[in-house]
mmCIF file of all heavy atoms in Angstrom:
data_model
loop_
_atom_site.group_PDB
_atom_site.id
_atom_site.type_symbol
_atom_site.label_atom_id
_atom_site.label_comp_id
_atom_site.label_asym_id
_atom_site.label_seq_id
_atom_site.Cartn_x
_atom_site.Cartn_y
_atom_site.Cartn_z
ATOM 1 N N MET A 402 117.183 110.734 88.360
ATOM 2 C CA MET A 402 118.391 111.022 89.161
ATOM 3 C C MET A 402 119.510 110.112 88.746
ATOM 4 O O MET A 402 119.318 108.948 88.420
ATOM 5 C CB MET A 402 118.054 110.835 90.644
ATOM 6 C CG MET A 402 119.096 111.458 91.520
ATOM 7 S SD MET A 402 118.552 111.536 93.236
ATOM 8 C CE MET A 402 117.023 112.434 93.060
ATOM 9 N N SER A 403 120.732 110.608 88.779
ATOM 10 C CA SER A 403 121.856 109.765 88.371
ATOM 11 C C SER A 403 122.758 109.564 89.564
ATOM 12 O O SER A 403 122.475 110.008 90.666
ATOM 13 C CB SER A 403 122.626 110.461 87.244
ATOM 14 O OG SER A 403 123.175 111.671 87.717
ATOM 15 N N GLY A 404 123.872 108.866 89.346
ATOM 16 C CA GLY A 404 124.845 108.689 90.391
ATOM 17 C C GLY A 404 124.570 107.485 91.235
ATOM 18 O O GLY A 404 124.009 106.496 90.738
ATOM 19 N N ALA A 405 124.920 107.547 92.503
ATOM 20 C CA ALA A 405 124.962 106.376 93.367
ATOM 21 C C ALA A 405 123.614 105.659 93.446
ATOM 22 O O ALA A 405 123.586 104.422 93.510
ATOM 23 C CB ALA A 405 125.367 106.799 94.792
ATOM 24 N N THR A 406 122.514 106.405 93.396
ATOM 25 C CA THR A 406 121.210 105.757 93.613
ATOM 26 C C THR A 406 120.845 104.808 92.475
ATOM 27 O O THR A 406 120.011 103.949 92.610
ATOM 28 C CB THR A 406 120.069 106.783 93.765
ATOM 29 O OG1 THR A 406 120.068 107.612 92.620
ATOM 30 C CG2 THR A 406 120.254 107.612 95.011
ATOM 31 N N ASP A 407 121.504 104.952 91.293
ATOM 32 C CA ASP A 407 121.214 104.058 90.186
ATOM 33 C C ASP A 407 121.831 102.701 90.343
ATOM 34 O O ASP A 407 121.512 101.772 89.628
ATOM 35 C CB ASP A 407 121.757 104.683 88.865
ATOM 36 C CG ASP A 407 120.819 105.740 88.372
ATOM 37 O OD1 ASP A 407 119.706 105.865 88.924
ATOM 38 O OD2 ASP A 407 121.225 106.479 87.460
ATOM 39 N N GLU A 408 122.759 102.562 91.285
ATOM 40 C CA GLU A 408 123.462 101.298 91.430
ATOM 41 C C GLU A 408 122.695 100.325 92.292
ATOM 42 O O GLU A 408 123.131 99.223 92.561
ATOM 43 C CB GLU A 408 124.855 101.555 92.016
ATOM 44 C CG GLU A 408 125.742 102.332 91.065
ATOM 45 C CD GLU A 408 126.807 103.121 91.785
ATOM 46 O OE1 GLU A 408 127.147 102.742 92.932
ATOM 47 O OE2 GLU A 408 127.280 104.125 91.214
ATOM 48 N N PHE A 409 121.500 100.727 92.757
ATOM 49 C CA PHE A 409 120.697 99.836 93.605
ATOM 50 C C PHE A 409 119.410 99.453 92.923
ATOM 51 O O PHE A 409 118.868 100.203 92.111
ATOM 52 C CB PHE A 409 120.379 100.573 94.935
ATOM 53 C CG PHE A 409 121.552 100.615 95.832
ATOM 54 C CD1 PHE A 409 122.475 101.638 95.706
ATOM 55 C CD2 PHE A 409 121.779 99.610 96.758
ATOM 56 C CE1 PHE A 409 123.619 101.682 96.535
ATOM 57 C CE2 PHE A 409 122.893 99.656 97.565
ATOM 58 C CZ PHE A 409 123.804 100.695 97.481
ATOM 59 N N ILE A 603 116.368 97.280 99.263
ATOM 60 C CA ILE A 603 117.179 97.539 98.047
ATOM 61 C C ILE A 603 118.476 96.776 98.191
ATOM 62 O O ILE A 603 118.879 96.388 99.317
ATOM 63 C CB ILE A 603 117.461 99.043 97.830
ATOM 64 C CG1 ILE A 603 118.158 99.628 99.072
ATOM 65 C CG2 ILE A 603 116.191 99.790 97.529
ATOM 66 C CD1 ILE A 603 118.697 101.044 98.805
ATOM 67 N N GLU A 635 112.738 105.082 96.957
ATOM 68 C CA GLU A 635 113.513 106.302 96.830
ATOM 69 C C GLU A 635 114.114 106.699 98.191
ATOM 70 O O GLU A 635 115.300 107.079 98.267
ATOM 71 C CB GLU A 635 112.598 107.412 96.287
ATOM 72 C CG GLU A 635 113.306 108.643 95.765
ATOM 73 C CD GLU A 635 114.403 108.305 94.749
ATOM 74 O OE1 GLU A 635 114.221 107.417 93.904
ATOM 75 O OE2 GLU A 635 115.498 108.933 94.820
ATOM 76 N N ARG A 636 113.311 106.574 99.248
ATOM 77 C CA ARG A 636 113.809 106.934 100.570
ATOM 78 C C ARG A 636 115.001 106.052 100.940
ATOM 79 O O ARG A 636 116.020 106.547 101.433
ATOM 80 C CB ARG A 636 112.689 106.742 101.618
ATOM 81 C CG ARG A 636 113.055 107.249 103.024
ATOM 82 C CD ARG A 636 112.007 106.863 104.055
ATOM 83 N NE ARG A 636 111.996 105.419 104.356
ATOM 84 C CZ ARG A 636 112.728 104.826 105.267
ATOM 85 N NH1 ARG A 636 113.525 105.534 106.058
ATOM 86 N NH2 ARG A 636 112.674 103.522 105.445
ATOM 87 N N GLN A 637 114.896 104.741 100.678
ATOM 88 C CA GLN A 637 115.997 103.834 101.012
ATOM 89 C C GLN A 637 117.259 104.148 100.208
ATOM 90 O O GLN A 637 118.368 104.126 100.755
ATOM 91 C CB GLN A 637 115.582 102.383 100.804
ATOM 92 C CG GLN A 637 114.519 101.896 101.831
ATOM 93 C CD GLN A 637 114.249 100.385 101.750
ATOM 94 O OE1 GLN A 637 115.002 99.671 101.103
ATOM 95 N NE2 GLN A 637 113.204 99.939 102.416
ATOM 96 N N LYS A 638 117.055 104.481 98.945
ATOM 97 C CA LYS A 638 118.216 104.806 98.100
ATOM 98 C C LYS A 638 118.919 106.053 98.631
ATOM 99 O O LYS A 638 120.168 106.115 98.672
ATOM 100 C CB LYS A 638 117.786 105.020 96.630
ATOM 101 C CG LYS A 638 117.440 103.718 95.911
ATOM 102 C CD LYS A 638 117.083 103.987 94.470
ATOM 103 C CE LYS A 638 116.854 102.687 93.702
ATOM 104 N NZ LYS A 638 116.356 102.946 92.333
ATOM 105 N N GLN A 639 118.140 107.021 99.013
ATOM 106 C CA GLN A 639 118.732 108.251 99.556
ATOM 107 C C GLN A 639 119.481 108.003 100.845
ATOM 108 O O GLN A 639 120.577 108.520 101.054
ATOM 109 C CB GLN A 639 117.643 109.337 99.793
ATOM 110 C CG GLN A 639 116.909 109.807 98.570
ATOM 111 C CD GLN A 639 117.811 110.483 97.554
ATOM 112 O OE1 GLN A 639 118.895 110.965 97.897
ATOM 113 N NE2 GLN A 639 117.406 110.472 96.303
ATOM 114 N N LEU A 640 118.865 107.195 101.698
ATOM 115 C CA LEU A 640 119.509 106.836 102.967
ATOM 116 C C LEU A 640 120.891 106.237 102.732
ATOM 117 O O LEU A 640 121.873 106.668 103.290
ATOM 118 C CB LEU A 640 118.672 105.786 103.715
ATOM 119 C CG LEU A 640 117.641 106.208 104.751
ATOM 120 C CD1 LEU A 640 117.012 104.986 105.398
ATOM 121 C CD2 LEU A 640 118.266 107.111 105.828
ATOM 122 N N VAL A 641 120.896 105.236 101.857
ATOM 123 C CA VAL A 641 122.157 104.497 101.594
ATOM 124 C C VAL A 641 123.151 105.433 100.906
ATOM 125 O O VAL A 641 124.349 105.422 101.237
ATOM 126 C CB VAL A 641 121.862 103.254 100.723
ATOM 127 C CG1 VAL A 641 123.146 102.622 100.270
ATOM 128 C CG2 VAL A 641 121.056 102.241 101.548
ATOM 129 N N ALA A 642 122.652 106.276 100.006
ATOM 130 C CA ALA A 642 123.572 107.204 99.306
ATOM 131 C C ALA A 642 124.225 108.163 100.310
ATOM 132 O O ALA A 642 125.360 108.596 100.106
ATOM 133 C CB ALA A 642 122.806 107.990 98.258
ATOM 134 N N SER A 643 123.519 108.478 101.396
ATOM 135 C CA SER A 643 124.124 109.402 102.337
ATOM 136 C C SER A 643 124.802 108.659 103.495
ATOM 137 O O SER A 643 125.027 109.196 104.572
ATOM 138 C CB SER A 643 123.076 110.381 102.876
ATOM 139 O OG SER A 643 122.013 109.703 103.468
ATOM 140 N N GLY A 644 125.120 107.377 103.245
ATOM 141 C CA GLY A 644 125.929 106.615 104.200
ATOM 142 C C GLY A 644 125.164 106.090 105.418
ATOM 143 O O GLY A 644 125.760 105.600 106.352
ATOM 144 N N GLU A 645 123.818 106.170 105.400
ATOM 145 C CA GLU A 645 123.054 105.640 106.515
ATOM 146 C C GLU A 645 122.542 104.252 106.206
ATOM 147 O O GLU A 645 122.722 103.753 105.099
ATOM 148 C CB GLU A 645 121.905 106.608 106.850
ATOM 149 C CG GLU A 645 122.393 107.911 107.416
ATOM 150 C CD GLU A 645 121.274 108.878 107.661
ATOM 151 O OE1 GLU A 645 120.449 108.575 108.560
ATOM 152 O OE2 GLU A 645 121.157 109.890 106.928
ATOM 153 N N ARG A 646 121.843 103.664 107.200
ATOM 154 C CA ARG A 646 121.328 102.300 107.007
ATOM 155 C C ARG A 646 119.831 102.283 107.087
ATOM 156 O O ARG A 646 119.237 103.095 107.788
ATOM 157 C CB ARG A 646 121.865 101.385 108.101
ATOM 158 C CG ARG A 646 123.364 101.435 108.290
ATOM 159 C CD ARG A 646 123.725 100.581 109.454
ATOM 160 N NE ARG A 646 123.405 99.181 109.158
ATOM 161 C CZ ARG A 646 124.273 98.188 109.276
ATOM 162 N NH1 ARG A 646 125.484 98.413 109.733
ATOM 163 N NH2 ARG A 646 123.933 96.968 108.947
ATOM 164 N N VAL A 647 119.236 101.314 106.405
ATOM 165 C CA VAL A 647 117.799 101.121 106.500
ATOM 166 C C VAL A 647 117.522 100.405 107.818
ATOM 167 O O VAL A 647 118.204 99.454 108.169
ATOM 168 C CB VAL A 647 117.293 100.255 105.308
ATOM 169 C CG1 VAL A 647 115.817 99.953 105.457
ATOM 170 C CG2 VAL A 647 117.565 100.978 103.987
#
Side-chain angles (χ1 to χ4, degrees):
M402 194 167 305
S403 64
T406 57
D407 282 349
E408 294 153 23
F409 286 86
I603 57 171
E635 196 50 41
R636 187 189 70 89
Q637 290 188 13
K638 286 182 176 175
Q639 296 298 337
L640 267 183
V641 171
S643 59
E645 291 177 69
R646 308 176 65 127
V647 175

